[in-house]
């Protein structure tokens, strides 16, 4: 074999100066039946797979990987699939978010430590997208994203039913005595009736759309259903394209810039995307050493209407969104209003404008007109005040317009356990004008910042037919949830952020238009309460969780571990046999 040093993998497979190492690297690979010519210096493409039977949303990823491989071989590359930690939103306890950063470390080290010149990221369930993007960003070799795609629309007893969103509705109906336990159980398979991730505009579909808006995947990546043949064609094309990207040395940091993040924030507003995008984009930007703050969300999200009429904000589901034109049709509308950085690059080597300017829109009820949107002020609203000096967030499109300006008495729960114990107590001093406050569910407090911010309403309120109240916490909320829910208050209660000072009966004033969130209590009393406050902290003394608690940053910084921020590159020491 001739020595080729063109690509990174040649240091493993084509080194003449370290022949014994080469024998070992190449020789052991041969036990899988790979012929000689695959080690001739051609681009080696890693396929980073989050397949797991315990991550049902990604359960079809071995098949997607096969389509990627076809494309890689077709373009003259050598594909090698490898597994990484798969954080399942539906199964993993205490919360998948606790393991996003751990998974990103696995991804980063697996890419850097192995002979690959480019990598295809197979992502689907909520945390699998940011963890792979974060890990890959820190290595920064040519990278392309392929999402697994959403499940087909749920159908239950004549009704369309959406992942997550349907659960919250059914749960409220069950608690209000409107449906039986049997009705509840029978909805399970009606909701999840095909392979794929949640088919509402929850966090998985939002992050798939963010990957597309950032330019990190081919057009239509987010919305093609998981079982649609076009999903497999896209995977095949992505495999073909990554080989070209290696030849062009088109690394992740050459594709994704601050402009790309600004575009993603705007697209998030237009799709009515999940609040979790705020935290994940901050973490990905941190890895790429791009400065992205809540102020960027305020600046870029302003005046972006929600165009996409999907649950939880609207009516339809991801399957409908794809048939209506998907993310490209949304991007086109934003481009036509000159709202996007049109020269932002994408993985196919074209700009976002070149990719999407001619995108078709086939259904104007699913993807609304810019001038007749689903919600006029979409996006994510940033709230600041003496409860959240570093910010809190709210998704107006999922909230009740009549609660956008509200003053109410706080009903406080010190922990999620206390919430569960007391919420249905008939003696709880609460009415529909109260504001539910939950503490100690932030990054350090829970730990892992669980999706418990959309607290269930008290039964006595639900029985009155009320379905929404203001809720404030340092937690996150599932992207499939809805309601007037203020999340991610920073700093969190567990580090004595001022949320910790709120007590039962205090008056809280929320003004979403002004972006304010204030406790009507004098500053000196807040300070005194904080001095005396004893956070309800988890008892963790060792293991990964201890490292996580010691190093996790606050929500406004993306809740990454402080020592993981930044690019560490792809250089690796040769290991000598
Ligand atoms: Fe996996 Fe929703 S639980 S995407």
């Amino acid at each position: 074999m001739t020595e080729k040093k063109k690509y990174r993998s040649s240091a493993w497979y084509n080194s003449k100066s370290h022949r014994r190492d080469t024998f070992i690297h190449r020789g052991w690979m041969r036990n899988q039946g790979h012929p000689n010519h695959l080690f001739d210096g051609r681009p080696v493409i890693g396929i980073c797979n989050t397949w797991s039977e315990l991550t049902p949303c990604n359960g079809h990823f071995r098949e997607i990987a096969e389509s990627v491989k076809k494309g890689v071989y077709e373009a003259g590359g050598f594909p090698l699939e490898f597994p990484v930690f798969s954080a399942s939103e539906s199964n993993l306890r205490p919360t998948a978010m606790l393991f996003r950063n751990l998974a990103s470390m696995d991804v980063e080290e697996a890419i850097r430590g192995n002979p690959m010149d480019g990598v295809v990221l197979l992502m689907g369930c909520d945390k699998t997208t940011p963890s792979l993007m974060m890990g890959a960003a820190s290595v920064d070799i040519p990278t392309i994203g392929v999402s697994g795609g959403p499940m087909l629309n749920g159908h239950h007893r004549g009704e369309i039913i959406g992942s997550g969103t349907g659960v919250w509705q059914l749960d409220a109906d069950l608690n209000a005595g409107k449906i039986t336990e049997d009705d509840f159980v029978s909805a399970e398979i009606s909701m999840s009736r095909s392979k794929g991730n949640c088919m509402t505009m929850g966090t998985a579909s939002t992050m798939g759309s963010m990957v597309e808006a950032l330019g990190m995947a081919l057009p239509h990546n987010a919305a093609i259903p998981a079982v649609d043949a076009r999903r497999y064609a896209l995977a095949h094309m992505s495999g073909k394209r990554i080989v070209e990207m290696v030849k062009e040395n088109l690394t992740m940091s050459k594709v994704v810039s601050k402009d790309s993040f600004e575009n993603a924030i705007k697209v998030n507003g237009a799709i009515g995307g999940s609040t979790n995008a705020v935290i994940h984009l901050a973490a990905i930007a941190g890895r790429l050493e791009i400065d992205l703050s809540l102020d960027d969300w305020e600046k870029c999200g302003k005046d972006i209407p929600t165009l996409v009429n999907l649950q939880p904000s609207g009516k339809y589901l991801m399957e409908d969104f794809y048939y209506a034109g998907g993310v490209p049709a949304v991007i086109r509308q934003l481009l036509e209003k000159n709202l996007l950085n049109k020269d932002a690059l994408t993985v196919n080597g074209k700009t976002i404008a070149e990719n999407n300017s001619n995108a078709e829109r086939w259904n104007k009820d699913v993807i609304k007109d810019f001038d007749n949107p689903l919600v006029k002020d979409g996006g994510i609203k940033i709230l600041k005040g003496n409860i959240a000096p570093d910010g809190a967030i709210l998704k107006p499109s999922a909230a009740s317009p009549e609660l956008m300006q509200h003053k109410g008495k706080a009903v406080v729960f010190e922990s999620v356990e206390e919430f569960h114990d007391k919420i249905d107590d008939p003696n709880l001093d609460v009415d529909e004008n109260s504001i539910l406050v939950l503490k100690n569910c932030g990054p350090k407090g829970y730990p892992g910042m669980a999706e418990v911010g959309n607290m269930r309403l008290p039964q006595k309120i639900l029985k009155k037919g009320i379905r929404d109240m203001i809720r404030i916490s340092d937690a996150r909320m599932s992207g499939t949830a809805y309601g007037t829910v203020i999340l991610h208050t920073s700093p969190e209660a567990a580090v004595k952020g001022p949320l910790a000072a709120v007590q039962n009966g205090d008056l809280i004033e929320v003004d979403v238009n002004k972006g304010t969130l204030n406790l009507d209590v004098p500053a000196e009393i807040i300070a005194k309460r904080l001095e005396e406050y004893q956070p309800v902290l988890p008892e963790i003394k060792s293991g990964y969780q201890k490292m996580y608690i010691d190093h996790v940053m606050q929500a406004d910084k993306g809740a990454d571990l402080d020592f993981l921020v930044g690019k560490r590159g792809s250089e690796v020491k040769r290991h000598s046999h």
Side-chain angles (χ1 to χ4, degrees):
M1 282 176 205
T2 50
E3 181 169 16
K4 291 192 181 176
K5 286 228 166 86
K6 208 168 165 192
Y7 305 121
R8 187 174 178 266
S9 62
S10 291
W12 279 258
Y13 294 145
N14 301 92
S15 168
K16 276 202 170 146
S17 48
H18 299 93
R19 302 194 77 123
R20 186 169 58 177
D21 286 355
T22 300
F23 184 100
I24 291 168
H25 294 312
R26 215 161 50 198
W28 263 254
M29 289 294 286
R30 301 291 298 278
N31 78 353
Q32 299 175 97
H34 300 302
N36 263 357
H37 70 271
L38 290 181
F39 299 92
D40 63 359
R42 67 187 60 205
V44 176
I45 305 299
I47 301 174
C48 182
N49 201 341
T50 45
W51 168 85
S52 165
E53 288 181 341
L54 286 164
T55 307
C57 310
N58 299 12
H60 58 303
F61 278 21
R62 309 289 308 271
E63 297 154 51
I64 294 205
E66 289 309 314
S67 292
V68 173
K69 286 179 193 173
K70 286 185 202 166
V72 173
Y73 279 125
E74 186 187 329
F78 178 19
L80 293 167
E81 186 183 347
F82 65 99
V84 286
F85 189 110
S86 183
S88 162
E89 199 63 30
S90 57
N91 276 325
L92 205 52
R93 290 183 175 178
T95 170
M97 182 63 178
L98 179 59
F99 304 106
R100 182 200 65 178
N101 301 337
L102 176 67
S104 78
M105 290 163 81
D106 178 2
V107 171
E108 176 182 343
E109 302 303 336
I111 295 173
R112 183 182 299 113
N114 277 299
M116 64 187 86
D117 305 305
V119 63
V120 181
L121 308 177
L122 301 192
M123 315 176 280
C125 194
D126 296 16
K127 303 303 174 291
T128 60
T129 300
S131 60
L132 269 57
M133 291 280 285
M134 288 159 71
S138 286
V139 188
D140 197 23
I141 61 173
T143 304
I144 194 166
V146 177
S147 297
M151 291 187 263
L152 295 174
N153 287 357
H155 285 274
H156 181 60
R157 299 189 173 168
E159 304 273 339
I160 294 285
I161 183 170
S163 319
T165 307
V167 180
W168 321 131
Q169 284 161 350
L170 288 160
D171 186 52
D173 286 348
L174 186 66
N175 280 306
K178 283 175 68 182
I179 60 168
T180 67
E181 192 73 34
D182 281 351
D183 298 331
F184 193 68
V185 172
S186 76
E188 288 174 5
I189 201 159
S190 312
M191 185 181 288
S192 305
R193 70 188 184 93
S194 84
K195 295 165 185 176
N197 54 244
C198 291
M199 83 312 257
T200 40
M201 187 52 83
T203 304
S205 294
T206 299
M207 290 311 295
S209 305
M210 293 298 90
V211 168
E212 197 173 327
L214 285 171
M216 280 300 298
L218 297 181
H220 287 294
N221 171 65
I224 304 172
V227 296
D228 193 305
R230 289 165 282 192
R231 170 65 54 196
Y232 297 84
L234 182 134
H236 184 130
M237 295 304 292
S238 303
K240 196 161 172 267
R241 177 60 195 152
I242 188 69
V243 177
E244 293 163 8
M245 287 174 71
V246 169
K247 292 178 182 167
E248 295 162 13
N249 194 25
L250 186 57
T251 58
M252 187 164 172
S253 65
K254 288 180 187 165
V255 174
V256 183
S257 61
K258 178 77 184 256
D259 281 0
S260 327
F261 279 100
E262 290 181 353
N263 287 346
I265 291 173
K266 290 173 184 179
V267 170
N268 186 272
I271 62 174
S274 162
T275 47
N276 283 317
V278 179
I279 220 158
H280 297 323
L281 289 190
I284 298 165
R287 296 299 186 95
L288 285 165
E289 300 168 8
I290 291 171
D291 183 31
L292 189 76
S293 71
L294 291 181
D295 294 339
D296 291 303
W297 284 85
E298 188 60 42
K299 185 185 80 185
C300 300
K302 231 187 177 71
D303 305 325
I304 301 285
T306 298
L307 308 177
V308 177
N309 186 5
L310 250 61
Q311 296 182 24
S313 303
K315 176 170 153 194
Y316 297 101
L317 295 169
M318 286 301 284
E319 193 183 339
D320 309 303
F321 182 39
Y322 177 55
Y323 303 149
V327 173
V330 175
I331 291 178
R332 178 178 173 170
Q333 286 208 69
L334 297 177
L335 284 167
E336 283 171 353
K337 295 285 176 188
N338 281 324
L339 286 166
L340 296 183
N341 300 309
K342 62 182 176 31
D343 296 329
L345 195 60
T346 76
V347 281
N348 65 5
K350 296 183 181 162
T351 64
I352 193 165
E354 286 167 339
N355 278 343
N356 299 293
S357 293
N358 296 318
E360 300 273 11
R361 184 161 53 121
W362 305 105
N363 185 324
K364 293 192 174 179
D365 195 36
V366 178
I367 304 173
K368 302 266 193 191
D369 281 325
F370 196 92
D371 300 317
N372 178 31
L374 180 71
V375 180
K376 202 161 158 290
D377 283 317
I380 305 287
K381 196 75 197 165
I382 307 300
L383 306 177
K384 284 191 178 170
N386 65 1
I387 299 182
D390 293 339
I393 66 170
L394 173 129
K395 180 174 166 181
S397 62
S400 302
E402 65 277 11
L403 290 172
M404 294 289 126
Q405 277 92 31
H406 185 80
K407 196 168 187 172
K409 271 202 300 189
V411 179
V412 177
F413 306 96
E414 291 294 330
S415 67
V416 73
E417 290 77 19
E418 186 185 334
F419 167 78
H420 288 306
D421 285 349
K422 295 193 175 157
I423 189 66
D424 289 329
D425 183 340
N427 298 320
L428 186 69
D429 184 13
V430 64
D431 65 29
E432 55 270 39
N433 296 313
S434 306
I435 295 181
L436 304 180
V437 175
L438 175 62
K439 305 178 187 174
N440 294 306
C441 291
K444 284 183 199 278
Y446 189 75
M449 208 181 172
E451 291 188 330
V452 292
N454 59 316
M455 286 164 264
R456 182 164 70 70
L457 303 196
Q459 266 188 16
K460 63 181 178 187
I461 306 282
L462 286 169
K463 280 186 179 147
K464 288 193 211 171
I466 309 277
R467 288 290 183 270
D468 196 14
M469 290 169 68
I470 294 191
R471 289 153 271 179
I472 302 175
S473 72
D474 44 16
R476 295 177 305 116
M477 162 172 99
S478 163
T480 61
Y482 52 89
T484 311
V485 184
I486 297 168
L487 302 153
H488 307 189
T489 56
S490 298
E492 65 181 306
V495 297
K496 295 201 178 193
L499 179 73
V502 183
Q503 295 185 355
N504 278 320
D506 287 348
L507 278 178
I508 295 176
E509 192 166 3
V510 177
D511 190 326
V512 176
N513 291 338
K514 287 192 188 144
T516 56
L517 171 63
N518 282 305
L519 182 64
D520 199 2
V521 169
E524 56 279 12
I525 295 181
I526 294 179
K528 188 160 186 307
R529 286 182 187 174
L530 287 178
E531 226 178 87
E532 290 162 3
Y533 186 70
Q534 294 295 326
V536 183
L537 284 171
E539 287 255 329
I540 294 165
K541 296 202 165 42
S542 62
Y544 165 72
Q545 294 196 24
K546 171 79 172 110
M547 180 176 79
Y548 172 91
I549 290 174
D550 288 348
H551 290 281
V552 71
M553 301 188 297
Q554 289 297 290
D556 60 306
K557 306 277 187 302
D560 200 358
L561 302 185
D562 50 14
F563 59 85
L564 291 175
V565 174
K567 294 195 289 260
R568 282 165 286 281
S570 62
E571 286 292 310
V572 66
K573 200 173 170 184
R574 184 176 69 83
H575 108 122
S576 207
H577 292 98

